[in-house]
Amino acid sequence: CNIAMALAYGGSRVLLVDADMRRPGMHRPLRLTNERGLSQVLIGQARVRDVIQRTVDPNLLAITAGRTPPNPSELLGSERMKTLLSNLSHGPFDWIVLDTPPVLAVTDAVILAPLVSGVVFVIGAEMTRRRLAERALETIMSAPPRSAAVVLNKVDFARNKYYYSRYYGHQYKN
């Protein structure tokens, strides 16, 4: 959500898609409903234009996950999903951001990685063990994505002063 919001705040027209159909949560911080969404589009019960929702930022639109289907991985790997992503990429958006479940939990991120132009792998500082993070990165890179980036999130700078102070000094700590 934060990446999509930052892009929208910068003036880009962004579509954020919740591709975590098992435990959808993107709708909560955006204060959207999750009655219909991606799952309904992929099973043919809704059209894309009917599930796109506006957010408080006029540059940020969203598609929630919708009701939980019995086969999320199969839907994400379907021809309908490939067609959807292709059609969206030719639409009015500068960015399309897909939020997926954790890499090691299910195969969804690995299924989608080859279909997108890039993957941003987010790791929670002091939340994810190094060995698991490395295994998750190996898993996602086996897909393989066209490009990949890693974001270290939730760093406690007061506890871990070495992140910035060694390079930039005290003025950047806060």
Side-chain angles (χ1 to χ4, degrees), residues 34-58:
N34 192 35
E35 295 302 312
R36 294 188 317 161
L38 180 62
S39 61
Q40 283 68 47
V41 170
L42 295 179
I43 60 176
Q45 291 181 345
R47 293 181 301 193
V48 175
R49 66 179 171 203
D50 297 331
V51 299
I52 293 178
Q53 297 183 55
R54 296 194 179 282
T55 67
V56 293
D57 186 326

PDB file of all heavy atoms in Angstrom, residues 34-58:
ATOM      1  N   ASN A  34     -14.768  -5.004   0.549  1.00  0.00           N
ATOM      2  CA  ASN A  34     -14.152  -6.169  -0.089  1.00  0.00           C
ATOM      3  C   ASN A  34     -15.214  -7.169  -0.536  1.00  0.00           C
ATOM      4  O   ASN A  34     -14.986  -8.363  -0.542  1.00  0.00           O
ATOM      5  CB  ASN A  34     -13.154  -6.830   0.881  1.00  0.00           C
ATOM      6  CG  ASN A  34     -12.290  -7.855   0.184  1.00  0.00           C
ATOM      7  OD1 ASN A  34     -11.933  -7.695  -0.971  1.00  0.00           O
ATOM      8  ND2 ASN A  34     -11.974  -8.930   0.882  1.00  0.00           N
ATOM      9  N   GLU A  35     -16.360  -6.670  -0.903  1.00  0.00           N
ATOM     10  CA  GLU A  35     -17.455  -7.553  -1.327  1.00  0.00           C
ATOM     11  C   GLU A  35     -17.168  -8.205  -2.674  1.00  0.00           C
ATOM     12  O   GLU A  35     -17.380  -9.390  -2.859  1.00  0.00           O
ATOM     13  CB  GLU A  35     -18.770  -6.774  -1.401  1.00  0.00           C
ATOM     14  CG  GLU A  35     -19.246  -6.258  -0.063  1.00  0.00           C
ATOM     15  CD  GLU A  35     -19.429  -7.370   0.948  1.00  0.00           C
ATOM     16  OE1 GLU A  35     -20.057  -8.384   0.608  1.00  0.00           O
ATOM     17  OE2 GLU A  35     -18.937  -7.218   2.086  1.00  0.00           O
ATOM     18  N   ARG A  36     -16.709  -7.383  -3.625  1.00  0.00           N
ATOM     19  CA  ARG A  36     -16.362  -7.893  -4.953  1.00  0.00           C
ATOM     20  C   ARG A  36     -14.970  -7.402  -5.291  1.00  0.00           C
ATOM     21  O   ARG A  36     -14.606  -6.284  -4.949  1.00  0.00           O
ATOM     22  CB  ARG A  36     -17.344  -7.395  -6.012  1.00  0.00           C
ATOM     23  CG  ARG A  36     -18.735  -7.930  -5.819  1.00  0.00           C
ATOM     24  CD  ARG A  36     -19.659  -7.603  -6.938  1.00  0.00           C
ATOM     25  NE  ARG A  36     -19.520  -6.230  -7.406  1.00  0.00           N
ATOM     26  CZ  ARG A  36     -19.936  -5.797  -8.583  1.00  0.00           C
ATOM     27  NH1 ARG A  36     -20.496  -6.618  -9.418  1.00  0.00           N
ATOM     28  NH2 ARG A  36     -19.808  -4.550  -8.928  1.00  0.00           N
ATOM     29  N   GLY A  37     -14.205  -8.244  -5.977  1.00  0.00           N
ATOM     30  CA  GLY A  37     -12.849  -7.841  -6.319  1.00  0.00           C
ATOM     31  C   GLY A  37     -12.218  -8.760  -7.342  1.00  0.00           C
ATOM     32  O   GLY A  37     -12.900  -9.300  -8.226  1.00  0.00           O
ATOM     33  N   LEU A  38     -10.914  -8.963  -7.201  1.00  0.00           N
ATOM     34  CA  LEU A  38     -10.134  -9.736  -8.162  1.00  0.00           C
ATOM     35  C   LEU A  38     -10.683 -11.146  -8.351  1.00  0.00           C
ATOM     36  O   LEU A  38     -10.782 -11.623  -9.480  1.00  0.00           O
ATOM     37  CB  LEU A  38      -8.668  -9.793  -7.705  1.00  0.00           C
ATOM     38  CG  LEU A  38      -7.709 -10.554  -8.599  1.00  0.00           C
ATOM     39  CD1 LEU A  38      -7.613  -9.922  -9.982  1.00  0.00           C
ATOM     40  CD2 LEU A  38      -6.323 -10.632  -7.954  1.00  0.00           C
ATOM     41  N   SER A  39     -11.052 -11.811  -7.282  1.00  0.00           N
ATOM     42  CA  SER A  39     -11.536 -13.189  -7.415  1.00  0.00           C
ATOM     43  C   SER A  39     -12.794 -13.258  -8.276  1.00  0.00           C
ATOM     44  O   SER A  39     -12.942 -14.174  -9.091  1.00  0.00           O
ATOM     45  CB  SER A  39     -11.773 -13.826  -6.046  1.00  0.00           C
ATOM     46  OG  SER A  39     -12.752 -13.122  -5.323  1.00  0.00           O
ATOM     47  N   GLN A  40     -13.689 -12.286  -8.131  1.00  0.00           N
ATOM     48  CA  GLN A  40     -14.905 -12.288  -8.949  1.00  0.00           C
ATOM     49  C   GLN A  40     -14.598 -12.009 -10.423  1.00  0.00           C
ATOM     50  O   GLN A  40     -15.239 -12.569 -11.304  1.00  0.00           O
ATOM     51  CB  GLN A  40     -15.921 -11.275  -8.410  1.00  0.00           C
ATOM     52  CG  GLN A  40     -16.662 -11.736  -7.164  1.00  0.00           C
ATOM     53  CD  GLN A  40     -15.757 -11.844  -5.954  1.00  0.00           C
ATOM     54  OE1 GLN A  40     -14.987 -10.937  -5.680  1.00  0.00           O
ATOM     55  NE2 GLN A  40     -15.850 -12.949  -5.248  1.00  0.00           N
ATOM     56  N   VAL A  41     -13.601 -11.169 -10.685  1.00  0.00           N
ATOM     57  CA  VAL A  41     -13.196 -10.918 -12.068  1.00  0.00           C
ATOM     58  C   VAL A  41     -12.634 -12.196 -12.686  1.00  0.00           C
ATOM     59  O   VAL A  41     -12.979 -12.574 -13.816  1.00  0.00           O
ATOM     60  CB  VAL A  41     -12.152  -9.776 -12.148  1.00  0.00           C
ATOM     61  CG1 VAL A  41     -11.554  -9.671 -13.540  1.00  0.00           C
ATOM     62  CG2 VAL A  41     -12.780  -8.452 -11.728  1.00  0.00           C
ATOM     63  N   LEU A  42     -11.784 -12.899 -11.935  1.00  0.00           N
ATOM     64  CA  LEU A  42     -11.116 -14.086 -12.481  1.00  0.00           C
ATOM     65  C   LEU A  42     -12.047 -15.281 -12.676  1.00  0.00           C
ATOM     66  O   LEU A  42     -11.769 -16.145 -13.505  1.00  0.00           O
ATOM     67  CB  LEU A  42      -9.933 -14.470 -11.595  1.00  0.00           C
ATOM     68  CG  LEU A  42      -8.805 -13.439 -11.552  1.00  0.00           C
ATOM     69  CD1 LEU A  42      -7.697 -13.894 -10.620  1.00  0.00           C
ATOM     70  CD2 LEU A  42      -8.259 -13.143 -12.948  1.00  0.00           C
ATOM     71  N   ILE A  43     -13.149 -15.323 -11.933  1.00  0.00           N
ATOM     72  CA  ILE A  43     -14.098 -16.425 -12.157  1.00  0.00           C
ATOM     73  C   ILE A  43     -15.254 -16.005 -13.066  1.00  0.00           C
ATOM     74  O   ILE A  43     -16.163 -16.782 -13.321  1.00  0.00           O
ATOM     75  CB  ILE A  43     -14.641 -17.021 -10.832  1.00  0.00           C
ATOM     76  CG1 ILE A  43     -15.383 -15.983 -10.002  1.00  0.00           C
ATOM     77  CG2 ILE A  43     -13.536 -17.669 -10.048  1.00  0.00           C
ATOM     78  CD1 ILE A  43     -16.016 -16.537  -8.749  1.00  0.00           C
ATOM     79  N   GLY A  44     -15.196 -14.766 -13.573  1.00  0.00           N
ATOM     80  CA  GLY A  44     -16.174 -14.310 -14.548  1.00  0.00           C
ATOM     81  C   GLY A  44     -17.466 -13.777 -13.959  1.00  0.00           C
ATOM     82  O   GLY A  44     -18.460 -13.643 -14.676  1.00  0.00           O
ATOM     83  N   GLN A  45     -17.494 -13.442 -12.673  1.00  0.00           N
ATOM     84  CA  GLN A  45     -18.710 -12.932 -12.051  1.00  0.00           C
ATOM     85  C   GLN A  45     -18.771 -11.407 -12.010  1.00  0.00           C
ATOM     86  O   GLN A  45     -19.772 -10.849 -11.576  1.00  0.00           O
ATOM     87  CB  GLN A  45     -18.847 -13.466 -10.617  1.00  0.00           C
ATOM     88  CG  GLN A  45     -19.138 -14.937 -10.561  1.00  0.00           C
ATOM     89  CD  GLN A  45     -19.300 -15.420  -9.131  1.00  0.00           C
ATOM     90  OE1 GLN A  45     -18.936 -14.741  -8.179  1.00  0.00           O
ATOM     91  NE2 GLN A  45     -19.834 -16.627  -8.989  1.00  0.00           N
ATOM     92  N   ALA A  46     -17.686 -10.750 -12.434  1.00  0.00           N
ATOM     93  CA  ALA A  46     -17.677  -9.282 -12.431  1.00  0.00           C
ATOM     94  C   ALA A  46     -16.728  -8.786 -13.512  1.00  0.00           C
ATOM     95  O   ALA A  46     -15.818  -9.505 -13.934  1.00  0.00           O
ATOM     96  CB  ALA A  46     -17.241  -8.748 -11.064  1.00  0.00           C
ATOM     97  N   ARG A  47     -16.965  -7.550 -13.945  1.00  0.00           N
ATOM     98  CA  ARG A  47     -16.060  -6.909 -14.895  1.00  0.00           C
ATOM     99  C   ARG A  47     -15.085  -6.035 -14.123  1.00  0.00           C
ATOM    100  O   ARG A  47     -15.398  -5.554 -13.025  1.00  0.00           O
ATOM    101  CB  ARG A  47     -16.849  -6.063 -15.886  1.00  0.00           C
ATOM    102  CG  ARG A  47     -17.729  -6.917 -16.802  1.00  0.00           C
ATOM    103  CD  ARG A  47     -18.464  -6.068 -17.769  1.00  0.00           C
ATOM    104  NE  ARG A  47     -19.307  -5.101 -17.029  1.00  0.00           N
ATOM    105  CZ  ARG A  47     -20.258  -4.390 -17.573  1.00  0.00           C
ATOM    106  NH1 ARG A  47     -20.497  -4.483 -18.849  1.00  0.00           N
ATOM    107  NH2 ARG A  47     -20.965  -3.553 -16.854  1.00  0.00           N
ATOM    108  N   VAL A  48     -13.934  -5.791 -14.704  1.00  0.00           N
ATOM    109  CA  VAL A  48     -12.898  -5.003 -14.039  1.00  0.00           C
ATOM    110  C   VAL A  48     -13.427  -3.630 -13.650  1.00  0.00           C
ATOM    111  O   VAL A  48     -13.238  -3.183 -12.511  1.00  0.00           O
ATOM    112  CB  VAL A  48     -11.637  -4.866 -14.937  1.00  0.00           C
ATOM    113  CG1 VAL A  48     -10.617  -3.948 -14.290  1.00  0.00           C
ATOM    114  CG2 VAL A  48     -11.034  -6.218 -15.209  1.00  0.00           C
ATOM    115  N   ARG A  49     -14.089  -2.974 -14.561  1.00  0.00           N
ATOM    116  CA  ARG A  49     -14.562  -1.611 -14.267  1.00  0.00           C
ATOM    117  C   ARG A  49     -15.571  -1.580 -13.123  1.00  0.00           C
ATOM    118  O   ARG A  49     -15.766  -0.558 -12.492  1.00  0.00           O
ATOM    119  CB  ARG A  49     -15.122  -0.953 -15.515  1.00  0.00           C
ATOM    120  CG  ARG A  49     -16.366  -1.588 -16.035  1.00  0.00           C
ATOM    121  CD  ARG A  49     -16.859  -0.858 -17.251  1.00  0.00           C
ATOM    122  NE  ARG A  49     -17.937  -1.607 -17.874  1.00  0.00           N
ATOM    123  CZ  ARG A  49     -18.280  -1.485 -19.111  1.00  0.00           C
ATOM    124  NH1 ARG A  49     -17.618  -0.649 -19.889  1.00  0.00           N
ATOM    125  NH2 ARG A  49     -19.257  -2.183 -19.601  1.00  0.00           N
ATOM    126  N   ASP A  50     -16.207  -2.725 -12.835  1.00  0.00           N
ATOM    127  CA  ASP A  50     -17.170  -2.784 -11.737  1.00  0.00           C
ATOM    128  C   ASP A  50     -16.515  -2.983 -10.371  1.00  0.00           C
ATOM    129  O   ASP A  50     -17.167  -2.771  -9.349  1.00  0.00           O
ATOM    130  CB  ASP A  50     -18.191  -3.904 -11.973  1.00  0.00           C
ATOM    131  CG  ASP A  50     -19.018  -3.661 -13.224  1.00  0.00           C
ATOM    132  OD1 ASP A  50     -19.221  -2.477 -13.590  1.00  0.00           O
ATOM    133  OD2 ASP A  50     -19.446  -4.656 -13.851  1.00  0.00           O
ATOM    134  N   VAL A  51     -15.250  -3.429 -10.350  1.00  0.00           N
ATOM    135  CA  VAL A  51     -14.593  -3.704  -9.063  1.00  0.00           C
ATOM    136  C   VAL A  51     -13.517  -2.677  -8.708  1.00  0.00           C
ATOM    137  O   VAL A  51     -12.989  -2.704  -7.602  1.00  0.00           O
ATOM    138  CB  VAL A  51     -14.000  -5.135  -9.011  1.00  0.00           C
ATOM    139  CG1 VAL A  51     -15.099  -6.179  -9.181  1.00  0.00           C
ATOM    140  CG2 VAL A  51     -12.903  -5.324 -10.038  1.00  0.00           C
ATOM    141  N   ILE A  52     -13.180  -1.793  -9.623  1.00  0.00           N
ATOM    142  CA  ILE A  52     -12.204  -0.747  -9.307  1.00  0.00           C
ATOM    143  C   ILE A  52     -12.857   0.259  -8.367  1.00  0.00           C
ATOM    144  O   ILE A  52     -13.960   0.744  -8.629  1.00  0.00           O
ATOM    145  CB  ILE A  52     -11.689  -0.048 -10.585  1.00  0.00           C
ATOM    146  CG1 ILE A  52     -10.860  -1.018 -11.419  1.00  0.00           C
ATOM    147  CG2 ILE A  52     -10.867   1.183 -10.228  1.00  0.00           C
ATOM    148  CD1 ILE A  52     -10.337  -0.449 -12.714  1.00  0.00           C
ATOM    149  N   GLN A  53     -12.168   0.553  -7.265  1.00  0.00           N
ATOM    150  CA  GLN A  53     -12.690   1.490  -6.269  1.00  0.00           C
ATOM    151  C   GLN A  53     -11.775   2.706  -6.160  1.00  0.00           C
ATOM    152  O   GLN A  53     -10.562   2.592  -6.278  1.00  0.00           O
ATOM    153  CB  GLN A  53     -12.790   0.824  -4.892  1.00  0.00           C
ATOM    154  CG  GLN A  53     -13.750  -0.347  -4.858  1.00  0.00           C
ATOM    155  CD  GLN A  53     -13.862  -0.926  -3.471  1.00  0.00           C
ATOM    156  OE1 GLN A  53     -14.170  -0.204  -2.519  1.00  0.00           O
ATOM    157  NE2 GLN A  53     -13.612  -2.220  -3.337  1.00  0.00           N
ATOM    158  N   ARG A  54     -12.374   3.835  -5.912  1.00  0.00           N
ATOM    159  CA  ARG A  54     -11.620   5.062  -5.682  1.00  0.00           C
ATOM    160  C   ARG A  54     -11.179   5.118  -4.226  1.00  0.00           C
ATOM    161  O   ARG A  54     -11.861   4.623  -3.353  1.00  0.00           O
ATOM    162  CB  ARG A  54     -12.475   6.284  -5.998  1.00  0.00           C
ATOM    163  CG  ARG A  54     -12.872   6.378  -7.442  1.00  0.00           C
ATOM    164  CD  ARG A  54     -13.415   7.755  -7.782  1.00  0.00           C
ATOM    165  NE  ARG A  54     -13.776   7.835  -9.176  1.00  0.00           N
ATOM    166  CZ  ARG A  54     -12.906   7.987 -10.173  1.00  0.00           C
ATOM    167  NH1 ARG A  54     -11.638   8.082  -9.928  1.00  0.00           N
ATOM    168  NH2 ARG A  54     -13.328   8.046 -11.419  1.00  0.00           N
ATOM    169  N   THR A  55     -10.025   5.744  -4.003  1.00  0.00           N
ATOM    170  CA  THR A  55      -9.536   5.964  -2.646  1.00  0.00           C
ATOM    171  C   THR A  55      -9.583   7.466  -2.370  1.00  0.00           C
ATOM    172  O   THR A  55     -10.000   8.245  -3.223  1.00  0.00           O
ATOM    173  CB  THR A  55      -8.095   5.443  -2.488  1.00  0.00           C
ATOM    174  OG1 THR A  55      -7.220   6.251  -3.279  1.00  0.00           O
ATOM    175  CG2 THR A  55      -7.983   3.984  -2.914  1.00  0.00           C
ATOM    176  N   VAL A  56      -9.112   7.878  -1.192  1.00  0.00           N
ATOM    177  CA  VAL A  56      -9.115   9.310  -0.875  1.00  0.00           C
ATOM    178  C   VAL A  56      -8.151  10.079  -1.774  1.00  0.00           C
ATOM    179  O   VAL A  56      -8.332  11.271  -2.000  1.00  0.00           O
ATOM    180  CB  VAL A  56      -8.767   9.567   0.610  1.00  0.00           C
ATOM    181  CG1 VAL A  56      -9.866   9.044   1.504  1.00  0.00           C
ATOM    182  CG2 VAL A  56      -7.434   8.959   0.985  1.00  0.00           C
ATOM    183  N   ASP A  57      -7.127   9.418  -2.296  1.00  0.00           N
ATOM    184  CA  ASP A  57      -6.198  10.053  -3.233  1.00  0.00           C
ATOM    185  C   ASP A  57      -6.744   9.870  -4.651  1.00  0.00           C
ATOM    186  O   ASP A  57      -6.951   8.736  -5.089  1.00  0.00           O
ATOM    187  CB  ASP A  57      -4.808   9.413  -3.124  1.00  0.00           C
ATOM    188  CG  ASP A  57      -3.759  10.124  -3.952  1.00  0.00           C
ATOM    189  OD1 ASP A  57      -4.081  10.648  -5.040  1.00  0.00           O
ATOM    190  OD2 ASP A  57      -2.598  10.158  -3.514  1.00  0.00           O
ATOM    191  N   PRO A  58      -6.988  10.944  -5.377  1.00  0.00           N
ATOM    192  CA  PRO A  58      -7.577  10.800  -6.722  1.00  0.00           C
ATOM    193  C   PRO A  58      -6.687  10.054  -7.711  1.00  0.00           C
ATOM    194  O   PRO A  58      -7.181   9.552  -8.719  1.00  0.00           O
ATOM    195  CB  PRO A  58      -7.799  12.253  -7.168  1.00  0.00           C
ATOM    196  CG  PRO A  58      -6.928  13.083  -6.301  1.00  0.00           C
ATOM    197  CD  PRO A  58      -6.751  12.342  -5.012  1.00  0.00           C
TER     198      PRO A  58
END
